[in-house]
């Protein structure tokens, strides 16, 4: 076993009310909206207290709706030195939006976070983890340096590849018309910090009435076993790896899940070579060691983006 270097990070998606508006089917439910308010007013402070306890700086992906609905809670996140990233406005599914709608959402949320934090965001999480060639090119045009939405790997950052194409099965046609392999697209200059549905608190522990598979009462100790097994396997098999955790104050702000996080953090911290970093720091670390693909489309410089958008931060 070689010397270990493990970069662990928390990505916290403040879906809150926006999650019910854009994704979970609760836009007409007063009760579901109240659960979104719990996430912002109660869940966020509880998670901040936990991060303080373990001296962890997290990356918070904040929908524009959450930033404007919970400005006081978001100000505490900012003032404690955590990182902010993009996460849509009302947790809209990019696959359901026109390019104009995607552009309008990106422009508004980029401006909101930049002006709120006094600096532009470096990273983005696509709601629903759904991206496209056009969507990623838009991110690059706004100077975004990393994404946390795709799953080509689970413990290594990589340069994102877009434009893969594949044949869907059409049973009304002859089989030879769909029997073709996937064709890979091109790598771009966007660092991918992989998302992982198996290290995400929301799918197993969020009760969603309109989703028959989401009953929300999974024992967090079962989820803890899955997350810990991921970490332990990576630690056994790799000398260097990353461990990105995706969570939401909607779920991880609940007592039973907070205690799970505490047990997991304490387990991870028993291992040599562990560092807790933001996703921005993880992206910077990757770029130092991995030159961009030749000819790749790269992020527009911060100076050029701010000038184009007429944003003055001085």
């Amino acid at each position: 076993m070689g010397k270990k270097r493990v970069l662990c990070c928390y990505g916290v998606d403040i879906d809150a009310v926006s999650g019910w508006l854009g994704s979970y089917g609760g836009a007409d439910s007063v009760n579901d909206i109240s659960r979104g308010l719990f996430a912002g007013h109660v869940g966020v402070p509880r998670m901040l207290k936990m991060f303080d306890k373990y001296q962890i700086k997290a990356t918070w992906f904040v929908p524009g709706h959450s930033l404007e609905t919970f400005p006081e809670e978001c100000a505490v996140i900012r003032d404690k030195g955590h990182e902010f990233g993009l996460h849509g406005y009302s947790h809209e599914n990019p696959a359901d939006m026109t390019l104009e709608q995607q552009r309008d959402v990106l422009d508004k949320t980029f401006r909101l976070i930049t002006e709120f934090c006094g600096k532009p965001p470096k990273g983005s999480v696509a709601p629903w983890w759904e991206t496209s060639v056009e969507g990623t090119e838009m991110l690059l045009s706004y100077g975004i340096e990393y994404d946390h939405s795709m799953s080509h790997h689970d413990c290594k950052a990589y340069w994102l590849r877009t434009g893969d194409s594949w044949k869907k099965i059409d049973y009304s046609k002859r089989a030879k018309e769909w029997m073709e392999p996937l064709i890979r697209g091109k790598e771009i200059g966007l660092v991918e910090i992989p998302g992982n549905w198996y290290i995400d608190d929301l799918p197993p522990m969020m009760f969603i009435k309109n989703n028959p598979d989401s009953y929300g009462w999974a024992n967090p100790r079962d989820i803890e076993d899955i997350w810990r097994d991921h970490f332990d396997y990576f630690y056994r098999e790799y000398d260097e790896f990353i461990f990105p955790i995706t969570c939401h104050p909607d779920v991880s702000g609940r007592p039973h899940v907070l205690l799970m996080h505490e047990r997991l953090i304490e387990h991870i911290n028993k291992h040599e070579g562990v560092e807790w970093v933001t996703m921005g720091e993880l992206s910077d670390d990757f770029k130092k060691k991995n030159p961009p693909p030749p000819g790749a489309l790269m992020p527009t410089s911060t100076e050029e983006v701010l000038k184009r958008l007429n944003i003055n931060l001085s």
Side-chain angles (χ1 to χ4, degrees), residues 107 110-111 114-115 141-142 304-312:
D107 187 76
F110 180 90
R111 290 175 184 274
T114 299
E115 292 167 4
S141 74
Y142 276 76
E304 187 175 337
V305 172
L306 296 179
K307 182 178 180 180
R308 185 182 80 228
L309 300 179
N310 195 28
I311 297 175
N312 185 0

Side-chain angles (χ1 to χ4, degrees), residues 63-294:
H65 187 280
S66 297
L67 181 58
E68 293 194 300
T69 303
F70 307 103
E72 294 180 1
E73 288 81 3
C74 288
V76 176
I77 298 170
R78 177 197 63 199
D79 296 345
K80 284 181 176 289
H82 296 271
E83 180 187 15
F84 276 61
L86 297 165
H87 195 37
Y89 186 84
S90 296
H91 211 271
E92 310 87 350
N93 189 337
D96 292 333
M97 291 195 290
T98 65
L99 284 177
E100 181 182 15
Q101 289 171 329
Q102 291 182 56
R103 191 176 297 109
D104 288 347
V105 168
L106 175 57
D107 187 76
K108 180 176 179 66
T109 55
F110 180 90
R111 290 175 184 274
L112 281 173
I113 289 179
T114 299
E115 292 167 4
F116 187 79
C117 295
K119 60 183 178 181
K122 297 171 66 174
S124 173
V125 166
W128 283 99
W129 281 348
E130 292 288 349
T131 62
S132 65
V133 173
E134 297 82 7
T136 51
E137 289 180 356
M138 277 188 225
L139 292 178
L140 291 171
S141 74
Y142 276 76
I144 299 303
E145 300 178 22
Y146 73 86
D147 175 67
H148 175 53
S149 309
M150 301 298 286
S151 305
H152 298 81
H153 208 292
D154 55 4
C155 68
K156 295 283 186 179
Y158 57 93
W159 293 108
L160 181 61
R161 187 181 71 237
T162 62
D164 289 1
S165 60
W166 53 91
K167 281 275 189 176
K168 293 190 286 186
I169 298 170
D170 185 344
Y171 290 109
S172 69
K173 298 179 180 179
R174 298 182 65 183
K176 68 178 183 180
E177 297 191 38
W178 72 70
M179 291 192 295
E180 296 180 8
L182 178 143
I183 299 173
R184 291 168 175 79
K186 295 182 179 180
E187 289 181 321
I188 61 174
L190 194 65
V191 177
E192 184 60 38
I193 300 171
N196 187 342
W197 286 112
Y198 297 99
I199 311 179
D200 186 325
D201 64 349
L202 195 142
M205 294 188 285
M206 176 81 145
F207 170 60
I208 301 174
K209 286 176 284 191
N210 294 332
N211 185 342
D213 293 326
S214 185
Y215 60 93
W217 286 279
N219 186 338
R221 285 171 174 78
D222 293 333
I223 309 307
E224 180 185 347
D225 282 345
I226 295 171
W227 292 14
R228 189 175 60 246
D229 283 350
H230 273 77
F231 180 87
D232 289 348
Y233 176 85
F234 298 152
Y235 199 85
R236 188 187 75 186
E237 299 292 328
Y238 298 90
D239 288 336
E240 292 193 17
F241 66 92
I242 66 173
F243 194 70
I245 299 168
T246 300
C247 58
H248 307 72
D250 316 63
V251 177
S252 288
R254 301 289 179 177
H256 60 306
V257 188
L258 284 162
L259 292 175
M260 181 198 83
H261 282 291
E262 292 189 2
R263 292 191 299 270
L264 183 74
I265 292 169
E266 290 172 8
H267 172 74
I268 289 172
N269 285 347
K270 293 175 183 177
H271 294 74
E272 293 184 6
V274 166
E275 302 174 46
W276 290 95
V277 297
T278 65
M279 290 196 182
E281 291 170 332
L282 199 160
S283 172
D284 291 342
D285 184 81
F286 174 83
K287 288 187 290 184
K288 289 177 183 177
K289 302 175 182 178
N290 299 274

Side-chain angles (χ1 to χ4, degrees), residues 19-38:
W20 297 106
L21 297 177
S23 298
Y24 310 146
D28 296 318
S29 167
V30 173
N31 177 263
D32 286 341
I33 297 300
S34 75
R35 288 201 279 160
L37 291 166
F38 166 92

Side-chain angles (χ1 to χ4, degrees), residues 11-24:
V12 186
D13 301 350
I14 311 181
D15 291 0
V17 175
S18 75
W20 297 106
L21 297 177
S23 298
Y24 310 146

